[in-house]
Amino acid sequence: MKLPSLLRRTPFRLTLLFLALFAAAASAILAYVYFASASEARTKAERDVRGEMQVLTGIYKERGFDALNRAMIDRSLQGGSYLYLLMDRDGQRITGSLTYSPVENFEGDLQWQTFRFTDTDPNGRVVRPEARGVQVRLSGGEMLFVGQSLGDTEAYLARLTQALWAAMGIVLLLGLGGGVLVSRNLERSMGRLNKVVTAVQEGDLKVRAPVRNSGDELDELGAGLNTMLDRLEGSMASIRHAGDAIAHDLRSPLTRMRAKLEVALMDAEAGKIDGVDAVQLALDEADSLLKTFNTVLAIARLQAAAGRTPDPKVFDAADLAADMAELYEPASEDKGLEFSAEIERGLMVEGNQPFLAQALANIIDNAIKYTPAGGAVMLRARRRSSGEIEYSVTDTGPGVPEEDRERVIERFVRLDNSRTEAGSGLGLSLVGAVMEAHGGRIILDEGPGEYGGFGPGLRVALVLPAAE
C-alpha cells in the first residue's frame, strides 16, 4: 500500500528520526535519573540507619538491656520511617515494629539487608515498600535490627517517572504535529516549484518561481531557478535572434550572388566567357557566401553566450601575438609593407584562444588590406597601467573618420573608401562580439598621422582583463 505523499516527504521522515533519537535520549536520561535517585536514597537510608543504630547501641552500653527495650517500645509506638526489631539469643522477637527479622542465616556481628515489608498507606491500602536495614549482635548475645522504609522515595520516583513519560509523550505529539505542519508547508512550496518546472517543460519560459524574501533554502532555490530561467529565456531569444539575423544578413549576399551568376550566364551565352570561367565565378561567390555565413554564425554564437566566454582557458597572450606576427609578416612584405612587432612576455589572459586569434587576425588583415604599398603595420602586445592586457595594430592607411568609428563595428557596414576591396563588412563586427564575450572592449583611434603621403592611419586596440 502506497503511503500518503505527506508521510513520504523527507522533512516528515527527518522529524520521525529526530523524535526517535529524542525518545532514546530521554529514556536514557530517565533511566539515569531513576537509578541515580534510587542509589542516593539507599545511601541516605544507610547513613540514617547507622546513626540510629549508634544511638540504640549507646543506650544498651550505658544503661543495659531494659533501657534499650523501653527505647525500642517508644520508637515503635511513635511510628515514622524507621523499622525496629529486638530479638533474644535464639532470634525470638522481644519487641519492635517488625514481627520477624528480614536477615536470613545471620552470621557474624553485622549484616546489611534490602527487603520489602507489608504496610498500609494513608488510604488504608496494603503496600509492600522497599526498605534497607542492618542487624547487629549485642555484647550480651541479643540481636538488634534497625531499618528504614524507602516507600517515600519509591513514591517520589514513581511520580517523577510518570511526569517524565507524560512530558515525553507531549513532546512526541508536538514534534509529530510540527513535522506534519512543516511537511505540509514544504509540500505546498515544492508544489509551487513543481508547477514552474512543469510549465517550463510544456514550453512556457515566462513563468517564474515565487520568492517570499524570507532568505531560507526554498527562496534560494526559487531565486536560482528564476536566474536559470532568465538565462534560458535569454539564450532562446538569442538563438531566435541569431536565426533571424542569419536569414536577414544572408539575404543581400545571396541576392548579389544570384545577380553575378545571371551576368555570368549571359556572358557565357554571349560568348564573352567560357563555361569554366562561369563555374569558377560561381565557386568564388559560393566561397565568399560560405565565409560570410560562418562569420555571421560565429557572431551569433558569441552573442548567444550572453557575456560568457565559450570554452575559456588561461594562456599567454604574448604567444598568440608572436604567432600572428609570424603568420602575417610574409603577407605584408609581399604587398611592400614594413611589418614590425613589439611583444611583452607573461601576458596571461583567460579566454577562447581560437576566437581571440580570429579577432586579432581580422584587424591585422584589415590593416594590411587598406594600407598602401610603402606603408607600415605594427603589432603590439603589452600590459596597460590598469593591469589589463592590450593587443593593438597600428597602420599608416587612410584610417577611419572619427564620426564613423562606432558605426564600422556594426554588421555589413563598409565605408566608401573600402567599396573596391573584397569583403562583407563583418570583420570588425566579429571582433566586437569577441571582445564583448570576453569582457573586453575594442578601441579605434587615429594612427601616427599623415606623413609622406600616408596617413592618418588607424590604431585598433583590443583590451582584455588579465587572468587572476
Side-chain angles (χ1 to χ4, degrees):
M1 184 178 64
K2 190 175 181 181
L3 294 174
S5 62
L6 181 64
L7 303 183
R8 290 184 279 111
R9 297 296 177 184
T10 298
F12 186 77
R13 294 182 178 180
L14 292 177
T15 299
L16 293 181
L17 176 61
F18 171 76
L19 291 178
L21 294 175
F22 171 79
S27 299
I29 294 173
L30 178 60
Y32 171 77
V33 170
Y34 182 87
F35 287 110
S37 300
S39 176
E40 177 64 23
R42 290 189 182 94
T43 301
K44 182 179 180 301
E46 289 183 2
R47 186 169 58 250
D48 295 341
V49 167
R50 286 193 184 95
E52 184 69 6
M53 181 63 76
Q54 288 177 358
V55 172
L56 294 176
T57 54
I59 294 175
Y60 177 79
K61 291 177 181 180
E62 294 293 334
R63 292 182 284 169
F65 178 80
D66 292 337
L68 174 60
N69 189 26
R70 288 192 299 270
M72 292 286 289
I73 294 172
D74 293 339
R75 280 170 163 76
S76 298
L77 293 174
Q78 290 176 0
S81 62
Y82 285 106
L83 304 172
Y84 302 98
L85 180 60
L86 179 60
M87 297 168 285
D88 60 15
R89 295 173 182 269
D90 297 327
Q92 297 299 316
R93 177 179 181 274
I94 299 174
T95 187
S97 57
L98 294 175
T99 57
Y100 61 90
S101 173
V103 179
E104 299 178 358
N105 302 321
F106 178 64
E107 296 177 358
D109 296 331
L110 185 146
Q111 185 173 341
W112 285 91
Q113 183 69 37
T114 300
F115 63 98
R116 290 190 176 274
F117 68 100
T118 302
D119 196 5
T120 56
D121 62 9
N123 296 324
R125 292 176 298 185
V126 178
V127 294
R128 288 184 57 81
E130 189 178 71
R132 180 73 171 165
V134 64
Q135 184 170 306
V136 299
R137 187 177 296 277
L138 301 175
S139 58
E142 299 88 352
M143 291 179 287
L144 175 62
F145 179 86
V146 177
Q148 188 177 50
S149 172
L150 301 178
D152 293 341
T153 301
E154 286 185 331
Y156 165 74
L157 291 176
R159 292 193 299 270
L160 177 62
T161 303
Q162 291 175 357
L164 290 177
W165 279 116
M168 185 186 299
I170 293 173
V171 170
L172 291 177
L173 289 176
L174 291 177
L176 188 62
V180 171
L181 180 62
V182 170
S183 298
R184 184 168 296 174
N185 291 337
L186 182 62
E187 186 176 18
R188 291 197 188 101
S189 299
M190 293 303 296
R192 289 191 287 267
L193 294 178
N194 286 332
K195 288 181 180 179
V196 173
V197 174
T198 302
V200 173
Q201 289 175 344
E202 294 175 354
D204 184 7
L205 297 181
K206 297 294 184 181
V207 66
R208 292 295 181 269
V211 179
R212 300 169 299 173
N213 297 319
S214 61
D216 60 4
E217 294 83 355
L218 291 176
D219 265 9
E220 293 178 358
L221 178 61
L225 183 61
N226 290 341
T227 301
M228 180 187 69
L229 291 175
D230 289 339
R231 292 183 177 178
L232 180 61
E233 186 180 14
S235 298
M236 295 299 294
S238 298
I239 292 173
R240 287 194 296 269
H241 176 72
D244 295 342
I246 291 174
H248 177 270
D249 293 342
L250 292 183
R251 183 170 54 191
S252 296
L254 283 172
T255 302
R256 185 169 60 251
M257 177 181 178
R258 188 178 187 282
K260 288 185 177 181
L261 290 177
E262 286 181 349
V263 172
L265 178 61
M266 288 186 294
D267 289 343
E269 290 175 348
K272 297 180 180 179
I273 59 175
D274 58 17
V276 175
D277 292 335
V279 172
Q280 184 62 48
L281 179 61
L283 288 175
D284 292 341
E285 286 298 321
D287 289 340
S288 176
L289 181 62
L290 185 61
K291 182 178 179 181
T292 300
F293 177 81
N294 289 333
T295 303
V296 172
L297 195 62
I299 294 174
R301 180 187 174 191
L302 289 170
Q303 290 177 340
R308 298 186 302 276
T309 306
D311 303 325
K313 293 182 180 178
V314 177
F315 64 94
D316 192 345
D319 293 338
L320 177 59
D323 292 341
M324 291 294 105
E326 182 179 356
L327 177 64
Y328 280 95
E329 186 174 3
S332 298
E333 293 176 353
D334 290 344
K335 190 178 178 180
L337 301 177
E338 180 183 349
F339 187 92
S340 58
E342 294 181 1
I343 303 173
E344 295 181 13
R345 306 306 301 180
L347 306 176
M348 305 307 294
V349 296
E350 182 177 8
N352 184 295
Q353 188 169 355
F355 273 124
L356 289 174
Q358 183 63 52
L360 189 57
N362 282 4
I363 60 175
I364 297 175
D365 185 74
N366 282 347
I368 295 174
K369 182 189 298 184
Y370 296 113
T371 300
V377 175
M378 173 172 280
L379 169 65
R380 288 189 179 93
R382 68 186 183 95
R383 186 183 301 276
R384 295 164 63 101
S385 59
S386 61
E388 297 172 303
I389 307 302
E390 178 188 274
Y391 292 115
S392 66
V393 176
T394 305
D395 61 60
T396 58
V400 176
E402 184 175 356
E403 62 272 14
D404 293 328
R405 289 173 189 168
E406 291 186 5
R407 193 167 64 90
V408 293
I409 302 178
E410 299 175 4
R411 282 185 288 187
F412 296 104
V413 172
R414 306 188 70 194
L415 302 182
D416 293 337
N417 57 5
S418 63
R419 296 289 181 184
T420 58
E421 299 289 344
S424 60
L426 291 172
L428 288 180
S429 298
L430 177 61
V431 175
V434 170
M435 289 298 100
E436 182 179 357
H438 286 76
R441 60 190 186 278
I442 178 173
I443 302 174
L444 276 69
D445 289 323
E446 187 174 296
E450 296 185 4
Y451 180 77
F454 295 99
L458 181 67
R459 179 180 181 273
V460 181
L462 309 182
V463 182
L464 296 164
E468 297 181 357

